Amino acid sequence: MINYLKTRSKILMFSLPALALFFSCTDLEIEPTDSLLATNFEGIATAEEAASQVTSMYNSINGFIGDQANLYALSEVTTDEMLVPTRGSDWGDNGIWRQLHQHSWTPDHQYITTVWNQWNELQLVASEVLDSRSASSPDSRAAASFFRALAVYVILDNFGQVPIRDTEAPPLTDPEVLTGEDAIALIVSDLEAAISGLPATGPSGAENVNVSKAAARYLLAKTHLNRHIFNGSGSPDAADMARVITLVDEITADGYELEEGYFDIFRDTPDNETIWWINTQVGNRIWNGLHYNLVTPEQSGGWNGFSTLSEFYDLFEGPESNLENAGPRDERRGFVPLQGLPAGVDGTVDDNDDGIADGTNIGFGFLKGQQYGPTGAPLTERGGAPLVFSREFVSTVDGQPSLLDNDEITGIRVLKYHPSYGGFVSHEVFFRYSDAYLMKAEAMLRSGGDATAMVNDLRVLRDASPIATVTLDDLIDERGRELYIEFWRRNDLIRFGQYTRDWEFKDPAAIGNSDRELFPIPATQIILNPNLVQNPGY
């Protein structure tokens, strides 16, 4: 029987002194010969060293969450929310982005392998701090309990099986593998320990860069909400749904609440919704979809890749046009400005000294149609044609729908963090109260209650019309509108039975194929640990 409080993964890719190098480079090629431990682990010698390991876990999370590839790509680009077309030679990358959206990935996909390596590595470091032989303080143990639970959650969610080994076992011993209820039990045990030991913090801004009781309750609610997916039962248990409701009520009691001003939530300023933010630059969320000619003084322009499907844009209430003067709409859909704002707008600068706040000509939310410069002049793409972001993705070769040979303007762009407040500010929201709020609404609905009033309170706050009666179909759409590009779309679609449905450019072989609800175990790990079994379909 494994002692969960002193576990260690066999998939360690580097020795601990090399962790900083590992966490700073997400595109490393990992050699199978690096995967075995040289010596038995004997515990962390001092409380200071354990605290340093907790710091290293925070630093690693910064890279894991701030990246535009890896977990973000697996969570968003594999859904109806996001795709990355190849524009000429830009964003080709040997098809690595297209494979994700089309669900045609293979066991050697680089981002899948990196996610496995990164989050199992985090699990390893947390287990060392939690080992009974380590001189870890109660504070370090509480944080490590949270981080191990988070790592195991990510691995279970994406791969369905989690390799765990006893740290007192010989280093060449094959680790046992947890699936289903066994993995859930570890997550729940760690999160209960984290809730007991972490500080209670409300929506206090700067402090919420550290994990708290509210963050642990949020992740525990996620675990109970997805339990019937993780254990394969297919039907939510009433006790799990009741636990979700209780946990969210406890988060509410800490002072978190829904807040007006949707896009202000994603600024580096205090708000009432952010449960946990990550100290990582938000540049990847800003520039990966903006056109090269959408310019601010600190950045020559965007990278012109990430876009959304028109069917996702159509989930939002409002007129076809998203220009700011086109008419009322769901606040969360954002708008395209007709020109920049005068210098002096709160949180902005005017580095050009032209009297216009930098970047305020760039829209919020979904950028569709003609884009405008600071003075209101219509912008053009690099070839001189109007910069008009279109719904369609079509080949410049034959004019047919395609993810290949796109031009510079295909696809509606998505922007939640805004360059006018700083193009590389270190403040990315990861756990948010409105997600917890909608988790409670879902738990009520799945246990026979009526979530209509809850959902409508949120919709009215976001300038959307009330819904007569909220169904599960309404709820998954509402989660999409509220939480787009926040890491949860894949998880949500699987729980609502929609991840395998058809959407534009999906491989026909993947439609209705439940095997795609889990990613393949990297081939090298199957070789190293015979207790791992490749997931079906790979």
Side-chain angles (χ1 to χ4, degrees):
M1 185 72 174
I2 294 176
N3 182 343
Y4 288 148
L5 295 182
K6 49 182 182 179
T7 57
R8 183 185 187 119
S9 171
K10 185 181 178 182
I11 52 73
L12 175 61
M13 300 302 167
F14 295 96
S15 63
L16 289 175
L19 281 175
L21 173 62
F22 180 86
F23 290 140
S24 66
C25 182
T26 59
D27 292 329
L28 284 174
E29 291 293 332
I30 306 300
E31 295 296 331
T33 53
D34 294 324
S35 62
L36 300 180
L37 300 174
T39 60
N40 285 322
F41 176 70
E42 296 180 355
I44 298 173
T46 69
E48 290 74 16
E49 291 177 9
S52 178
Q53 291 290 66
V54 170
T55 298
S56 81
M57 286 187 274
Y58 275 110
N59 289 338
S60 69
I61 287 287
N62 294 345
F64 298 174
I65 301 304
D67 202 341
Q68 68 183 1
N70 304 322
L71 184 63
Y72 183 78
L74 268 56
S75 303
E76 299 291 349
V77 182
T78 67
T79 76
D80 60 344
E81 204 169 85
M82 191 154 278
L83 72 167
V84 187
T86 299
R87 307 179 190 278
S89 60
D90 290 351
W91 297 96
D93 300 326
N94 296 315
I96 200 166
W97 299 101
R98 299 192 303 274
Q99 290 167 15
L100 292 180
H101 185 73
Q102 294 172 316
H103 287 205
S104 60
W105 56 75
T106 59
D108 61 352
H109 194 286
Q110 179 183 347
Y111 299 160
I112 294 172
T113 298
T114 301
V115 168
W116 174 273
N117 292 339
Q118 287 179 333
W119 292 90
N120 274 298
E121 181 74 20
L122 181 65
Q123 177 208 140
L124 165 71
V125 179
S127 292
E128 290 179 335
V129 174
L130 291 169
D131 191 283
S132 60
R133 296 163 295 175
S134 293
S136 306
S137 71
D139 288 347
S140 292
R141 288 184 180 279
S145 293
F146 173 86
F147 281 122
R148 187 168 67 180
L150 176 61
V152 174
Y153 181 98
V154 170
I155 300 162
L156 181 64
D157 181 32
N158 286 277
F159 298 97
Q161 48 190 306
V162 187
I164 301 285
R165 75 183 288 270
D166 189 336
T167 52
E168 295 186 13
L172 298 183
T173 300
D174 293 323
E176 294 189 34
V177 173
L178 303 184
T179 61
E181 280 299 324
D182 290 334
I184 293 168
L186 176 55
I187 296 170
V188 171
S189 174
D190 275 348
L191 288 175
E192 295 287 5
I195 291 169
S196 177
L198 289 171
T201 59
S204 53
E207 293 179 8
N208 291 356
V209 72
N210 296 317
V211 294
S212 64
K213 291 183 188 297
R217 286 173 175 139
Y218 169 100
L219 186 58
L220 186 55
K222 262 312 171 190
T223 303
H224 283 288
L225 192 66
N226 287 281
R227 188 177 206 142
H228 63 289
I229 302 299
F230 293 160
N231 67 16
S233 70
S235 299
D237 185 83
D240 284 314
M241 299 301 100
R243 184 70 172 126
V244 171
I245 293 169
T246 299
L247 287 162
V248 175
D249 286 344
E250 290 170 347
I251 295 171
T252 305
D254 279 341
Y256 296 94
E257 62 182 358
L258 301 175
E259 185 167 280
E260 291 183 327
Y262 182 71
F263 291 104
D264 286 341
I265 297 167
F266 304 97
R267 296 177 58 181
D268 62 336
T269 52
D271 62 76
N272 293 322
E273 290 205 18
T274 301
I275 295 172
W276 183 32
W277 60 271
I278 308 300
N279 189 23
T280 188
Q281 292 184 343
V282 297
N284 281 319
R285 303 295 171 262
I286 293 175
W287 302 108
N288 63 22
L290 290 185
H291 187 268
Y292 318 106
N293 289 349
L294 279 168
V295 177
T296 70
E298 66 177 318
Q299 169 65 251
S300 60
W303 309 331
N304 208 40
F306 286 51
S307 308
T308 193
L309 290 177
S310 59
E311 69 177 69
F312 192 80
Y313 175 82
D314 289 340
L315 290 178
F316 294 81
E317 184 178 334
E320 170 63 23
S321 170
N322 213 29
L323 289 176
E324 62 180 333
N325 62 352
R329 78 209 73 188
D330 188 323
E331 177 190 18
R332 297 167 294 192
R333 202 178 79 175
F335 61 92
V336 174
L338 297 174
Q339 62 183 50
L341 296 174
V345 173
D346 177 48
T348 66
V349 297
D350 179 18
D351 286 340
N352 282 339
D353 296 326
D354 57 1
I356 299 174
D358 297 342
T360 54
N361 62 297
I362 299 173
F364 288 82
F366 293 81
L367 309 188
K368 176 179 176 292
Q370 178 68 57
Q371 306 298 300
Y372 296 89
T375 64
L379 293 174
T380 63
E381 47 94 58
R382 292 182 299 181
L387 184 56
V388 179
F389 293 137
S390 66
R391 283 175 166 270
E392 297 79 17
F393 300 88
V394 295
S395 168
T396 57
V397 176
D398 59 14
Q400 297 301 305
S402 176
L403 286 180
L404 288 168
D405 301 313
N406 276 240
D407 62 22
E408 295 185 5
I409 61 174
T410 58
I412 301 166
R413 312 307 168 84
V414 186
L415 193 66
K416 218 166 199 176
Y417 298 87
H418 203 269
S420 63
Y421 302 126
F424 291 94
V425 172
S426 293
H427 187 105
E428 179 158 0
V429 177
F430 193 27
F431 290 2
R432 192 153 67 85
Y433 178 74
S434 61
D435 186 359
Y437 181 90
L438 288 172
M439 284 195 279
K440 177 181 176 178
E442 181 180 341
M444 291 171 58
L445 193 57
R446 290 188 185 277
S447 53
D450 185 357
T452 302
M454 278 192 72
V455 173
N456 281 336
D457 284 347
L458 174 62
R459 287 182 59 79
V460 169
L461 187 69
R462 306 297 192 223
D463 294 332
S465 301
I467 298 172
T469 302
V470 169
T471 66
L472 285 174
D473 285 342
D474 295 320
L475 200 52
I476 181 60
D477 289 348
E478 197 64 30
R479 287 188 62 83
R481 287 184 283 263
E482 181 69 20
L483 301 167
Y484 63 91
I485 69 169
E486 293 185 48
F487 280 88
W488 295 115
R489 187 61 173 173
R490 171 189 167 273
N491 177 271
D492 286 346
L493 288 176
I494 290 173
R495 191 172 65 257
F496 282 83
Q498 293 193 20
Y499 190 63
T500 63
R501 67 172 172 80
D502 191 12
W503 55 65
E504 191 174 14
F505 301 117
K506 182 180 280 189
D507 186 337
I511 298 169
N513 183 358
S514 61
D515 291 346
R516 293 285 140 169
E517 292 180 347
L518 290 174
F519 295 108
I521 308 298
T524 55
Q525 300 307 314
I526 297 290
I527 295 171
L528 288 167
N529 183 3
N531 292 327
L532 288 166
V533 178
Q534 186 57 275
N535 285 323
Y538 302 105

